[in-house]
């Protein structure tokens, strides 16, 4: 069969954070080892989900490879999708309709970051690049037309509000990370904190952190010693540090971990400090709902089909040239037949032209639609 899109992953709906963490580590290793049977790959890793998108000539072999390599340890909570359904799922995810905080816009930016990252290292090329970029553009248009967004908030704002509920005013905070979510958290906390540190690898701070003190990771301990709250909001892809019970000063009263893999070891709870991880945050956000017109589902299906078939014929199957050749031959033959009928005067010219158009459309679209379902059969029809 021809090349096909595949998706193997888990989300907050199907797996707790510890299992998503293990899945992320396993899939990252598989990609880095170069043994995974994919011609293209993108790992989308966020606080809500871990999903591996790929292109392969054998979806079943790809799934068997993953399950055999993991000894089936993820089978109870993963989902496996192929073909058009991959595009529909990614579009739904990009719209925030499958997020812990329904409608959140941050996921679209994370999808964009993922495709940029894997394009730069040559793992995502024409097929996944086209799918991801088309989905991103389409999701922004759909959001604007139908007003799909979170209830006026993003996850950083909501977490910050709940922190303020617990801590009151005039507390000290350390925010680990300086990306989009970290900036949202700080903006929402700024009026309630009397001191703030931002742990970052940057040599500058975005203007969103006005009033905060920039600190490197090597000085994190001193910042934590001068804080009541620590919030980890680093890029989930990084996962290269973890706070343990040995790292934490007694002054800390609350820890918030928005990362997957986790940045804060759950063992810190043994010190009596309160820790909010993504499982607990999922419970905090249960009351948030997304309402949208029923028409959106139809738009998603139509948009996903357009993206998938466009990419399939141009990138995955390479059949567009054959289809164009077929269309030319069909149009030429039917035009000659129509001309003969018109010259004979047997039928009115308008009737002949309409019938000619119907035949051209039917003969061209029939194999066009069948290619993704049965490329070999369609190839034979195209040659006929």
């Amino acid at each position: 069969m021809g090349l096909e899109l595949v998706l193997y992953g888990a989300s907050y709906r199907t797996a707790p954070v510890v299992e998503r963490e293990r899945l992320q580590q396993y899939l990252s290793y598989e990609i880095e080892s170069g043994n995974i049977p994919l011609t293209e790959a993108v790992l989308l890793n966020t606080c809500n989900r871990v999903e591996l998108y790929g292109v392969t000539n054998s979806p079943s072999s790809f799934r068997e490879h993953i399950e055999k390599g993991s000894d089936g340890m993820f089978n109870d909570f993963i989902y496996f999708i192929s073909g058009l359904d991959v595009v529909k799922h990614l579009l739904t995810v990009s719209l925030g309709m499958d997020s812990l905080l329904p409608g959140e816009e941050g996921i679209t930016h994370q999808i964009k970051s993922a495709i940029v990252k894997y394009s730069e290292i040559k793992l995502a090329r024409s097929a996944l690049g086209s799918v991801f970029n088309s989905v991103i553009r389409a999701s922004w248009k759909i959001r604007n037309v139908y007003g799909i967004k979170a209830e006026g908030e993003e996850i950083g704002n909501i977490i910050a509000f709940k922190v303020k509920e617990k801590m009151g005013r005039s507390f000290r905070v350390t925010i680990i990370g300086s990306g989009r979510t970290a900036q949202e958290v700080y903006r929402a906390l700024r009026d309630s904190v009397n001191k703030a540190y931002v742990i970052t690898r940057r040599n500058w701070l975005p203007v969103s952190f006005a009033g905060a003190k920039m600190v490197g990771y090597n000085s994190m301990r001193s910042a934590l010693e001068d804080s009541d709250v620590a919030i980890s909001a680093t890029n989930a892809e990084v996962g290269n540090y973890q706070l343990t019970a040995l790292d934490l000063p007694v002054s800390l009263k609350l820890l918030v971990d928005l990362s997957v893999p986790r940045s804060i070891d759950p063992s810190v709870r043994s010190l009596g400090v309160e820790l909010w991880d993504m499982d607990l945050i999922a419970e905090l956000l249960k009351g948030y709902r997304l309402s949208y017109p029923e028409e959106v589902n139809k738009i998603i299906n139509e948009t996903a089909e357009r993206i998938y078939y466009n990419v399939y014929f141009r990138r995955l199957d390479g059949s567009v040239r054959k289809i164009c050749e077929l269309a030319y031959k069909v149009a030429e033959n039917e035009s000659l037949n129509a001309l003969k009928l018109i010259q004979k005067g047997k039928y009115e010219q308008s009737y002949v032209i309409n019938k000619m158009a119907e035949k051209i459309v039917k003969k061209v679209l029939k194999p066009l639609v069948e290619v993704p379902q049965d490329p070999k059969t369609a190839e034979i029809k195209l040659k006929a």
Side-chain angles (χ1 to χ4, degrees):
M1 63 180 294
L3 294 172
E4 187 58 279
L5 296 170
V6 290
L7 163 60
Y8 182 96
S11 74
Y12 74 97
R13 296 181 186 276
T14 66
V17 64
V18 64
E19 298 297 346
R20 302 201 304 273
E21 186 177 81
R22 289 173 184 164
L23 180 62
Q24 186 274 336
Q25 293 167 348
Y26 172 70
L27 292 178
S28 293
Y29 171 79
E30 284 293 295
I31 293 173
E32 291 169 7
S33 69
N35 295 324
I36 199 165
L38 294 173
T39 59
E40 297 186 41
V42 170
L43 183 60
L44 178 61
N45 184 43
T46 74
C47 56
N48 284 186
R49 70 195 63 256
V50 177
E51 295 177 340
L52 174 58
Y53 293 79
V55 177
T56 179
N57 58 9
S58 178
S60 58
S61 296
F62 160 71
R63 183 173 186 175
E64 287 171 8
H65 171 88
I66 292 290
E67 293 181 349
K68 183 178 180 181
S70 63
D71 199 25
M73 67 184 296
F74 305 120
N75 292 3
D76 290 341
F77 55 80
I78 67 97
Y79 39 83
F80 178 77
I81 308 171
S82 64
L84 173 60
D85 289 337
V86 174
V87 185
K88 289 181 181 178
H89 177 82
L90 182 61
L91 184 55
T92 302
V93 168
S94 185
L95 287 167
M97 294 170 65
D98 191 49
S99 292
L100 187 59
L101 178 62
E104 54 112 2
E105 296 180 359
I107 182 62
T108 310
H109 296 279
Q110 290 172 312
I111 291 172
K112 184 175 182 179
S113 296
I115 191 60
V116 168
K117 172 185 175 180
Y118 284 91
S119 295
E120 288 176 348
I121 60 177
K122 311 301 183 186
L123 281 175
R125 295 181 291 279
S126 59
L128 288 182
S130 184
V131 168
F132 271 65
N133 289 322
S134 296
V135 162
I136 291 168
R137 288 193 298 270
S139 65
W140 283 123
K141 289 180 181 178
I142 295 172
R143 281 180 182 275
N144 290 334
V145 172
Y146 293 97
I148 297 176
K149 59 183 179 180
E151 297 177 346
E153 304 282 0
E154 290 289 311
I155 192 166
N157 304 84
I158 293 175
I159 294 304
F161 175 75
K162 292 190 177 297
V163 169
K164 289 193 288 187
E165 270 190 336
K166 179 173 180 61
M167 299 300 299
R169 302 184 67 85
S170 299
F171 58 91
R172 301 163 298 166
V173 65
T174 291
I175 298 175
I176 305 170
S178 56
R180 178 186 172 87
T181 301
Q183 292 176 49
E184 289 170 1
V185 170
Y186 180 70
R187 280 196 299 265
L189 286 179
R190 189 160 46 189
D191 64 348
S192 297
V193 300
N194 54 26
K195 188 177 288 187
Y197 298 93
V198 177
I199 312 297
T200 180
R201 291 184 176 82
R202 303 187 192 202
N203 54 15
W204 59 278
L205 273 184
V207 294
S208 302
F209 288 109
K213 182 178 180 180
M214 183 173 70
V215 179
Y217 277 77
N218 58 345
S219 301
M220 186 188 305
R221 174 77 189 191
S222 61
L224 294 175
E225 287 176 345
D226 195 31
S227 299
D228 305 299
V229 179
I231 302 173
S232 179
T234 61
N235 186 327
E237 295 273 359
V238 178
N240 58 1
Y241 84 94
Q242 188 175 62
L243 295 179
T244 67
L246 296 176
D247 301 315
L248 300 183
V250 294
S251 61
L252 284 170
K253 299 178 178 63
L254 174 65
L255 295 170
V256 181
D257 192 353
L258 300 176
S259 303
V260 179
R262 289 168 292 181
S263 301
I264 304 174
D265 192 315
S267 66
V268 300
R269 291 190 174 104
S270 64
L271 300 177
V273 63
E274 188 171 352
L275 169 62
W276 298 356
D277 61 14
M278 286 310 302
D279 287 338
L280 189 143
I281 290 170
E283 291 297 315
L284 294 178
L285 299 181
K286 266 188 174 179
Y288 288 84
R289 295 289 181 267
L290 176 68
S291 59
Y292 53 89
E294 186 63 32
E295 187 181 354
V296 171
N297 288 324
K298 180 182 177 183
I299 296 299
I300 288 174
N301 289 334
E302 292 175 351
T303 303
E305 286 181 4
R306 185 175 67 253
I307 293 171
Y308 174 71
Y309 289 119
N310 177 58
V311 172
Y312 192 96
F313 293 121
R314 291 189 179 180
R315 307 288 198 275
L316 302 184
D317 191 68
S319 297
V320 70
R321 181 179 56 81
K322 296 176 183 178
I323 293 167
C324 288
E325 290 174 355
L326 171 68
Y328 178 81
K329 290 177 181 177
V330 169
E332 183 181 41
N333 291 336
E334 291 302 324
S335 295
L336 290 173
N337 291 335
L339 181 60
K340 290 177 183 177
L341 290 173
I342 291 172
Q343 288 174 342
K344 289 180 180 179
K346 190 173 181 180
Y347 302 101
E348 289 184 7
Q349 182 172 322
S350 60
Y351 174 82
V352 173
I353 291 175
N354 286 335
K355 286 297 179 183
M356 175 191 72
E358 287 179 10
K359 288 182 180 180
I360 291 174
V361 171
K362 287 179 181 178
K363 288 184 178 181
V364 173
L365 289 187
K366 192 169 188 293
L368 182 69
V369 173
E370 289 178 354
V371 171
Q373 285 73 40
D374 190 357
K376 291 180 180 178
T377 303
E379 208 167 283
I380 293 171
K381 290 180 180 179
L382 290 172
K383 292 175 180 176

